[in-house]
């Protein structure tokens, strides 16, 4: 079974380290969480985001920053 071109394009985009801004869906894929959960985290201010026109984007460096924040919280709780 072969993958469609659009599936391959989505996978390449999700793994492209040169992207500066990600869609919320791309950020969710990188975090391996659901789209809705990622939107909730963005709206709560847990994950940094910016608006570009009418679009909501997540800076690529905000994803590892969020993970670092989670790791710091876990270390404090232990």
């Amino acid at each position: 079974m072969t993958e469609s071109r659009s599936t391959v394009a989505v996978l390449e985009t999700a793994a492209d380290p040169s992207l500066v801004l990600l869609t919320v869906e791309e950020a969710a894929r990188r975090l391996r969480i659901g789209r809705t959960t990622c939107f909730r985290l963005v709206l709560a201010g847990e994950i940094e985001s910016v608006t570009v026109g009418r679009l909501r984007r997540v800076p690529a460096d905000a994803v590892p920053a969020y993970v670092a924040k989670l790791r710091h919280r876990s270390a404090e709780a232990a």
Side-chain angles (χ1 to χ4, degrees):
M1 181 177 243
T2 62
E3 293 181 297
S4 69
R5 286 185 189 184
S6 62
T7 302
V8 171
V10 166
L11 292 173
E12 288 173 354
T13 300
D16 185 355
S18 67
L19 294 176
V20 176
L21 294 175
L22 308 170
T23 64
V24 176
E25 291 86 353
E26 289 167 341
R29 270 189 240 116
R30 287 189 180 190
L31 290 166
R32 305 264 195 233
I33 62 175
R35 175 183 170 273
T36 303
T37 300
C38 196
F39 269 106
R40 285 187 189 136
L41 291 169
V42 165
L43 291 175
E46 290 289 318
I47 298 177
E48 179 189 358
S49 67
V50 296
T51 53
V52 180
R54 293 176 50 190
L55 304 172
R56 174 71 49 192
R57 294 292 182 254
V58 176
D61 61 347
V63 175
Y66 173 69
V67 173
K69 188 178 358 176
L70 289 177
R71 294 177 76 177
H72 181 70
R73 286 183 193 164
S74 294
E76 285 182 345

